[in-house]
Amino acid sequence: MMINDLSGKAALITGGTKGLGLAIGKALAAEGAQVWLTNRWGSADEEAIAAEFVALGGPKPRIVEADASNDEDTKALLEQMRREHDHIEIFVSNVSFAQVNKKGLDGLTKRSLLRSLDYSAWPMVGYVQHIKQQFGRYPNYTLATSCDGPDTYYPGYDYVAVSKVVLETFAKYLAKHLWEEQQARVNVLRIRPVSTESLLATFGEEYEPWLRKYHSDDYFIPLEAVGQAVLACCSGLLDAMTGQVVQIDRGVAFQDNLMRLFEQRERYG
C-alpha cells in the first residue's frame, strides 16, 4: 500500500549502480519513481541496469558519474536533475568508502579518518545542502545507509564504524533542522551484513562462507529487503517517523549469541 504516489518523482541514490544502491533504486522505480543513480568510476553496465528496471515496469534510470565527496560533481549532477524536475522527492546517501585497518592501533591515521568521513558521513549533509541551493527546498525524504559497525566489532572496521557513528548523529540533527523548516524527514537504515562486492572487498573470500556456517543464512539481509525498507520509509505510511536509526536485521541481533550456538552445538561440532 502506497499513500505517496512516486510516479515520475525524482529519487537520487548515490553509489546506486551496485549492491544496496541498485536494490533501493529498483524498489523505487517499481513504484514509478524516476531514479537517478551515481557511480564514481564509470564501471556500471548501463544497458544491463536499464534492462533490469524495464523488466520491473519502471522508468529507465539516469546514471551519472559523480564522486560523492566532490562538490563540483555534486553541483553538476543537481543542475542536470533541475532541468527535468522541480524537486527531489527522495535522496538516499548510500556511498560508503573507508580504509580497512590491518595494523591495529599503529595503523590508525588522521588522514585516513578524514578521508573516510569525506565519503561515508559528510555526503548526506553536503548533498542536502546542495539540493536546497539548487531546488529551493529539501528532499521530502532523506535516507542514509549505515551498518552495525558502531555496536559490533569487526576486524579492521575502525574507520567504517567511526564514520557511521558520525553519520547517524548528523542524521538526528539534520532531522530536527529539516522538520522545523519544511517538515521533511531524515532517517537512517542500519543494515546487517549484505552479500555484496563491498563485503568481499573488505573481508576477503573466506568471510561470508564462514559466517553462513556459524550464523546461518539468516545472518545476511537480502538486498530486496533493504529496497523494501527504503520504499516503506517513503510510502507515506511512516511519515510520523523522523530522526530515527532503524535496525534492519530480521531480529537476528536478539538471537545472535552464545546460547544460540549452544543450542546448535551438535551441528557445529
Side-chain angles (χ1 to χ4, degrees):
M1 179 180 180
M2 292 285 292
I3 295 176
N4 182 22
D5 183 5
L6 298 183
S7 300
K9 293 181 179 178
L12 171 59
I13 304 162
T14 61
T17 57
K18 295 180 180 178
L20 290 177
L22 182 58
I24 293 167
K26 289 163 66 175
L28 297 174
E31 293 295 331
Q34 176 57 68
V35 174
W36 292 69
L37 308 174
T38 75
N39 69 316
R40 181 184 175 191
W41 295 283
S43 59
D45 187 338
E46 297 190 16
E47 291 186 4
I49 292 173
E52 291 185 50
F53 278 65
V54 171
L56 293 169
K60 289 184 179 180
R62 306 283 198 275
I63 300 176
V64 180
E65 192 169 339
D67 185 334
S69 71
N70 186 298
D71 283 347
E72 295 307 313
D73 282 8
T74 301
K75 291 176 182 177
L77 165 65
L78 296 178
E79 287 172 1
Q80 184 177 345
M81 294 186 70
R82 185 69 180 86
R83 291 194 286 270
E84 297 188 34
H85 305 280
D86 61 3
H87 79 284
I88 294 177
E89 179 72 6
I90 300 165
F91 166 57
V92 182
S93 184
N94 176 62
V95 166
S96 182
F97 169 83
Q99 182 175 326
V100 177
N101 173 33
K102 297 182 179 180
K103 297 181 180 180
L105 182 60
D106 292 339
L108 297 176
T109 67
K110 183 178 180 181
R111 179 179 180 182
S112 293
L113 171 62
L114 294 177
R115 181 170 172 79
S116 300
L117 293 172
D118 244 0
Y119 278 99
S120 298
W122 182 253
M124 176 186 65
V125 179
Y127 262 83
V128 167
Q129 290 176 331
H130 284 301
I131 289 171
K132 174 64 181 299
Q133 292 169 6
Q134 183 64 235
F135 290 87
R137 57 182 292 191
Y138 300 111
N140 285 329
Y141 300 93
T142 294
L143 292 152
T145 57
S146 185
C147 66
D148 58 354
D151 290 339
T152 303
Y153 171 73
Y154 294 100
Y157 224 49
D158 313 54
Y159 296 117
V160 177
V162 171
S163 297
K164 294 307 185 183
V165 169
V166 174
L167 171 78
E168 293 178 4
T169 303
F170 261 139
K172 295 174 183 179
Y173 279 84
L174 202 62
K176 176 186 183 298
H177 299 314
L178 269 62
W179 180 260
E180 289 181 346
E181 186 170 338
Q182 187 184 301
Q183 293 195 338
R185 295 155 184 84
V186 182
N187 291 293
V188 175
L189 299 182
R190 184 188 280 192
I191 306 159
R192 273 280 204 174
V194 181
S195 181
T196 62
E197 292 181 19
S198 177
L199 185 78
L200 178 65
T202 302
F203 296 109
E205 295 180 357
E206 297 181 4
Y207 183 67
E208 183 175 337
W210 185 89
L211 275 182
R212 291 188 183 277
K213 177 181 178 181
Y214 289 102
H215 290 279
S216 80
D217 292 341
D218 287 341
Y219 192 83
F220 289 86
I221 304 301
L223 287 169
E224 295 77 14
V226 178
Q228 290 302 312
V230 170
L231 184 62
C233 289
C234 305
S235 67
L237 294 169
L238 299 179
D239 278 3
M241 181 176 73
T242 190
Q244 301 301 307
V245 178
V246 181
Q247 186 89 359
I248 309 298
D249 68 355
R250 299 189 298 187
V252 172
F254 176 76
Q255 306 169 44
D256 180 26
N257 52 41
L258 290 176
M259 183 55 69
R260 182 188 63 80
L261 292 176
F262 177 74
E263 289 178 332
Q264 300 181 28
R265 60 193 179 280
E266 292 183 3
R267 170 185 172 187
Y268 297 122

